[in-house]
Amino acid sequence: WIDGICNISSLKEINIEDLLSRGEININNEKNKLLYNGKSILVTGAAGSIGSEIIRKLIRFKPSKIILLDNAETPMFNIKEELDNVSHKIDLIYNISSIMDDKAINKLFSLYDIDIVFHAAAYKHVNMMESNPRTAIINNVLISNPFAGFLRPK
């Protein structure tokens, strides 16, 4: 707009990269395929926005199985309905449990030979967690640490 008049000739097409305040991220799909193909992967917070997107991306790399863990039944039902309509040959295991339930987590690791864990059940909204530090530490730090004990070199 110049002097209240729109100059259409000065308009330009906007790309998503123009809106980001960072450079473009290039994903090495070949490396990811080597890393995730044929693996048994646990995704915590699987029914949430981040966990479910991780699963959508992982399916491309053909892991042998994905264990979806979440404590929210309705969102888990929704992601199951979505994934039931996607063509894949991956064993999807749906588990409604809390990551704070040690027995449930231990059972998952004893039942499935888990190679990789994506801990998307972590609390992510810093401003909320600043006023709830105990909960943030239990969920994001203490829960994440035990996973390392389960993941041993084969």
Side-chain angles (χ1 to χ4, degrees), residues 27-37 60-61:
I27 298 173
N28 186 335
N29 286 320
E30 286 305 311
K31 181 179 177 182
N32 285 339
K33 186 172 184 177
L34 290 172
L35 183 61
Y36 303 127
N37 185 272
R60 295 185 210 167
F61 303 115

Side-chain angles (χ1 to χ4, degrees), residues 7-65:
N7 182 354
I8 294 182
S9 65
S10 67
L11 293 178
K12 74 170 196 155
E13 188 173 321
I14 297 176
N15 296 316
I16 190 68
E17 293 81 12
D18 298 330
L19 303 175
L20 298 175
S21 58
R22 59 168 171 74
E24 183 179 357
I25 296 172
N26 294 309
I27 298 173
N28 186 335
N29 286 320
E30 286 305 311
K31 181 179 177 182
N32 285 339
K33 186 172 184 177
L34 290 172
L35 183 61
Y36 303 127
N37 185 272
K39 296 293 195 301
S40 176
I41 302 173
L42 169 65
V43 179
T44 71
S49 59
I50 294 172
S52 61
E53 190 59 28
I54 289 171
I55 293 160
R56 289 181 196 101
K57 301 293 186 216
L58 282 172
I59 286 174
R60 295 185 210 167
F61 303 115
K62 298 183 173 102
S64 62
K65 72 176 72 100

Side-chain angles (χ1 to χ4, degrees), residues 4 67 99 106 108 115 123:
I67 300 96
I99 60 166
N106 286 329
L108 287 177
D115 299 301
Y123 290 122

Side-chain angles (χ1 to χ4, degrees), residues 75-153:
M76 185 71 96
F77 172 83
N78 294 336
I79 190 70
K80 182 182 184 316
E81 290 290 300
E82 175 189 331
L83 296 175
D84 283 350
N85 292 310
V86 174
S87 178
H88 61 79
K89 294 180 182 176
I90 300 163
D91 188 13
L92 299 176
I93 299 145
Y94 300 89
N95 190 281
I96 308 285
S97 299
S98 170
I99 60 166
M100 295 192 197
D101 181 345
D102 291 346
K103 288 182 182 178
I105 299 299
N106 286 329
K107 185 175 180 181
L108 287 177
F109 276 91
S110 68
L111 286 175
Y112 308 106
D113 195 16
I114 296 170
D115 299 301
I116 298 168
V117 175
F118 285 91
H119 182 41
Y123 290 122
K124 300 151 197 77
H125 298 96
V126 174
N127 59 336
M128 293 297 295
M129 293 301 96
E130 285 176 337
S131 57
N132 297 278
R134 183 176 189 279
T135 302
I137 295 295
I138 290 169
N139 193 79
N140 291 9
V141 178
L142 300 179
I143 295 301
S144 297
N145 247 351
F147 288 148
F150 288 109
L151 303 175
R152 60 205 174 281

